Structure formats: C-alpha cells, structure tokens
Amino acid sequence: MKPHHLLLSTLLILACSNRNTPQAVCEDFIYNYYQRADQTAALQLSHGLAAEKLTDEIARVSEVRTPGQQMDEMPKIEYELTGKEEDSAHVLFNYKLSIEIRGATTHTRKVVIQTEEIDGHWKVVNFDEY
C-alpha cells in the first residue's frame, strides 16, 4: 500500500472511531485546552460549570488574542491518567500533566476532570487543577 493510502486509511479509521465516551472527551478536552490553549474548542466539549469557566476565560484573554488564535510557542505537554471514579451519572478522571517549557523547565500539575452524559453526549462539566 502506498504511504498516502495508508495515511488516508488511518485518518478514516480515527474519524469513524467513537469519541463519545467519558475518557475520549477528557482526552480531547486536554488536547484542546492544555496542549493547544484553544478555549473555544474546549468549550464545545463542555457544559455547566466547565462551560462557565471557559466562557469567562475566553472573555479575559480576548483582550490579548482573538478566539481560536493559536499561541506562537506552545509548551510540550504530556499527560497520564492517574485515577478514575465512576457512579451512575458521572465519571471523574485524575490526570498528571508534565509541562516542558522551551526544553528546559518542567512543571507538573494534577488535573481533575468531571464528565457527565447530557442528551446522549458526554461532556466535561467541571475541571480543576492543583
């Protein structure tokens, strides 16, 4: 198989995979919010308190950048799932983020993300870091 056919096949499989699971929504949220610093994209995955936090943050940063505008230099961020708690209506995830800035300084943050199924779609309903 030619390389471009392999790439196309891989992209098609990924596009058809089910991203409507609690963990997939969390990972998509981490990718958009932390790795890309794109609050607008993260907002699409959010509801309730999480959406309120993001809307407030978008308003605060709008003075220095337009919604969806990417930052020039992004830190390297890796994340690791460290815990998960489930009940009948929510799934809570604990992640450890390692943030490397300019190849020198590494910071670690712990992130808690709560998901809930709303109208058949999993959404991030709250998130916090410490």
Side-chain angles (χ1 to χ4, degrees), residues 11 35 47 51 57 59 63 75 85 90 118:
L11 291 174
Q35 289 185 305
H47 185 79
E57 188 172 326
E63 295 177 15
E85 297 175 30
H90 301 90
I118 299 169

Side-chain angles (χ1 to χ4, degrees), residues 11-79:
L11 291 174
L12 184 59
I13 290 169
L14 290 174
C16 294
S17 65
N18 182 11
R19 300 302 297 166
N20 188 28
T21 67
Q23 189 164 350
V25 168
C26 275
E27 291 175 359
D28 291 348
F29 181 86
I30 289 170
Y31 173 76
N32 286 299
Y33 185 69
Y34 290 101
Q35 289 185 305
R36 294 184 59 228
D38 188 346
Q39 295 91 346
T40 303
L43 181 60
Q44 301 304 310
L45 302 165
S46 304
H47 185 79
L49 184 56
E52 291 175 28
K53 288 178 179 181
L54 289 167
T55 300
D56 291 345
E57 188 172 326
I58 290 167
R60 285 193 312 273
V61 300
S62 68
E63 295 177 15
V64 293
R65 80 179 168 166
T66 58
Q69 177 186 3
Q70 294 298 303
M71 298 181 62
D72 293 333
E73 186 176 337
M74 298 297 295
K76 178 183 176 188
I77 297 178
E78 295 179 356
Y79 61 92

Side-chain angles (χ1 to χ4, degrees), residues 1 4-14:
M1 184 178 282
H4 67 279
H5 288 122
L6 180 61
L7 178 62
L8 183 59
S9 298
T10 302
L11 291 174
L12 184 59
I13 290 169
L14 290 174

